[in-house]
Amino acid sequence: MALFHELYENRAATTDTVQAEVRRKALATNAEPQGIQSAAVRARNFFLNSARLDVQELPMSQEVAARLQVVLEQLRSYDAARRRPGMQGHGLTEKHAGEATLIVAATQRNNPVLLTNDAGASHVADRQLPNIPSRHFGHILHELVCHAGDSIQLDDVISDYEAACHISGIPDDARPSASTGYFTCSRDTSSGKCIACDQT
């Protein structure tokens, strides 16, 4: 988390809706899947309680409310289309509020990039005009490896990646095929740039 803050300070932001969700999950007991509460506690303590992360409150104008509704419907449609017949889950009316606010907030920023492990959120963000590119935890972790250099161990990186996937799974088709190779810096000695980072 400290490395993420160092690399993304003054660039990363979230919304008040996501903040409320993180705080709720941090207070949950056994209602959440294993690992989510402890992850939420760490995020709450490091990013939210310390004000290290900018929290944006969307203005509730008619335009913003209408855009939120459109994005919510897009997210729910994506979710419903991939739900197996007879499969039960959280009510669709309660899902995706956080992702929707992030996408709408991103449309109000210059050169936004959405950080999400949710395939539906990535799909819907890409449908906005102009489209919003997205990155998942693996992309960010790769950048942190390049930024940290020799101060971070590959075994620790892979362990953190697998733990994060367990909590908030990256879709299988978006995961790197070989974690060891993916989380190795490909910095060009002459240009000083990481070839892999520039391609993601």
Side-chain angles (χ1 to χ4, degrees), residues 46-47 81 83 174 184 199:
F46 187 87
F47 289 114
R83 192 177 296 271
T184 301
Q199 291 177 342

Side-chain angles (χ1 to χ4, degrees), residues 67 69-79 81-82 103-104 107 114 119-134:
R67 179 168 289 185
Q69 188 60 40
V70 169
V71 172
L72 273 171
E73 289 302 323
Q74 291 173 337
L75 289 165
R76 291 166 181 164
S77 294
Y78 181 94
D79 190 56
R82 284 150 185 79
I103 292 170
V104 173
T107 64
L114 182 69
S122 295
H123 173 80
V124 171
D126 189 59
R127 292 182 61 189
Q128 305 308 302
L129 296 174
N131 72 301
I132 302 168
S134 61

Side-chain angles (χ1 to χ4, degrees), residues 69-116:
Q69 188 60 40
V70 169
V71 172
L72 273 171
E73 289 302 323
Q74 291 173 337
L75 289 165
R76 291 166 181 164
S77 294
Y78 181 94
D79 190 56
R82 284 150 185 79
R83 192 177 296 271
R84 294 192 300 270
M87 179 181 176
Q88 300 298 320
H90 298 291
L92 291 180
T93 57
E94 300 175 0
K95 292 191 67 174
H96 304 307
E99 291 100 328
T101 60
L102 286 174
I103 292 170
V104 173
T107 64
Q108 302 175 348
R109 299 173 73 97
N110 294 324
N111 302 316
V113 177
L114 182 69
L115 173 56
T116 179

Side-chain angles (χ1 to χ4, degrees), residues 3-198:
L3 277 174
F4 178 90
H5 177 63
E6 181 180 331
L7 187 60
Y8 283 91
E9 185 177 10
N10 300 322
R11 291 194 290 159
T14 190
T15 65
D16 56 338
T17 302
V18 174
Q19 174 183 236
E21 183 176 340
V22 170
R23 293 190 182 280
R24 177 182 63 78
K25 290 180 182 295
L27 295 175
T29 53
N30 58 356
E32 300 289 350
Q34 185 178 8
I36 287 185
Q37 183 189 17
S38 60
V41 168
R42 293 195 300 273
R44 178 198 63 189
N45 293 346
F46 187 87
F47 289 114
L48 302 178
N49 289 354
S50 66
R52 287 186 175 100
L53 188 64
D54 179 42
V55 179
Q56 180 178 350
E57 183 175 353
L58 288 176
M60 280 297 101
S61 64
Q62 288 187 340
E63 179 183 355
V64 170
R67 179 168 289 185
L68 271 173
Q69 188 60 40
V70 169
V71 172
L72 273 171
E73 289 302 323
Q74 291 173 337
L75 289 165
R76 291 166 181 164
S77 294
Y78 181 94
D79 190 56
R82 284 150 185 79
R83 192 177 296 271
R84 294 192 300 270
M87 179 181 176
Q88 300 298 320
H90 298 291
L92 291 180
T93 57
E94 300 175 0
K95 292 191 67 174
H96 304 307
E99 291 100 328
T101 60
L102 286 174
I103 292 170
V104 173
T107 64
Q108 302 175 348
R109 299 173 73 97
N110 294 324
N111 302 316
V113 177
L114 182 69
L115 173 56
T116 179
N117 287 350
D118 188 280
S122 295
H123 173 80
V124 171
D126 189 59
R127 292 182 61 189
Q128 305 308 302
L129 296 174
N131 72 301
I132 302 168
S134 61
R135 311 187 81 183
H136 59 60
F137 180 73
H139 296 136
I140 302 305
L141 196 55
H142 179 90
E143 287 190 2
L144 297 183
V145 169
C146 290
H147 181 70
D150 296 333
S151 66
I152 189 170
Q153 299 298 314
L154 182 58
D155 288 345
D156 293 336
V157 171
I158 294 176
S159 177
D160 288 345
Y161 172 73
E162 294 299 335
C165 285
H166 176 72
I167 295 170
S168 177
I170 298 172
D172 290 340
D173 59 357
R175 294 190 186 190
S177 57
S179 298
T180 302
Y182 182 78
F183 293 120
T184 301
C185 182
S186 303
R187 190 178 303 279
D188 181 79
T189 54
S190 59
S191 67
K193 295 182 178 180
C194 175
I195 299 171
C197 284
D198 288 346

